Amino acid sequence: MIAFLGMGLLGSNFVRALRQKDVPVQVWNRTASKATALETYGAKAFSEVAAAVAGAQRIHLTLKDDSTVDEVLDKAAPGLQAGAIIIDHTTTSVAGAIERTQKWQERGFTYLHAPVFMGPQNALESTGSILVSGDQQVISEYEPILATMTGKVLNFGESTGKATGMKLLGNLFLITFTAGLADTLSFAKGLDISLDEINALFGTWNPAAMLPARLKRMTSGHYSDPSWELNMARKDTGIFLEEARKTNTPLAVIPAIATEMDRWIAKGHGNDDWTVIAKDSI
């Protein structure tokens, strides 16, 4: 028997995918209607979390944050059967994942933090990636099961919390990337550049292909042979800001980048490659 706690978009689709494979699933959600809605697919909903985990060998969590995970698990504890494993897919802090691993081990249970790179549709289709790290014996035992829930299991080694950190790193990149695109769209709107024209540009010119080389350049530690001088990149950034000012276009990310460029220029790096702004990060 499997218990699933947290029936948001991700958790509910995980449950639907399990039910498509005829796996028995007991479900719980703070808002009970989200759990009972899954009875349509054959899941068994419970109003009390301790009852939902009773008899389950595996308990999966897709909750909000550290405090929610801790609260829900403490309430579930009276219903946990001996030897059960808790597999937590919630995006949490590294410290929280490490502390819970130790806490639940001391209480006689296995806790494995296994965050995911996947959206609700991936959960339904069993595609995407699950991240794990820590006790390799535990991971070896449960990796085949996790692999059925997703397209790929990424094992980051024996360090408890490393998978958590990798998840946070990935989400930080996605948020930064999306915020940059939002600035790009806002800037284009101010210049009367249409969405079709933007799509045509990126359909022909693929900046994603530059990512590996850009990352290598940024982390090389060598910036004195520039392909784009910081002074010139800052000049262009100034044009972005001026054009945005003229069209009353709000930009969220670019002003902060300009400030960072100015800091490095003031330190004497204006003639270096503009990727020098990453120097303190490596």
Side-chain angles (χ1 to χ4, degrees), residues 109-137:
F109 301 95
T110 299
Y111 172 93
L112 177 65
H113 193 226
V116 301
F117 284 139
M118 56 200 303
Q121 191 62 31
N122 297 113
L124 184 61
E125 297 171 351
S126 300
T127 59
S129 298
I130 285 181
L131 289 61
V132 293
S133 67
D135 188 324
Q136 293 298 294
Q137 185 173 345

Side-chain angles (χ1 to χ4, degrees), residues 201-211:
L201 172 64
F202 287 105
T204 304
W205 172 61
N206 179 16
M210 303 177 189
L211 181 59

Side-chain angles (χ1 to χ4, degrees), residues 69-88:
V69 171
D70 289 334
E71 177 189 350
V72 170
L73 283 179
D74 284 342
K75 289 181 178 179
L80 293 173
Q81 72 170 31
I85 180 170
I86 301 162
I87 302 178
D88 185 5

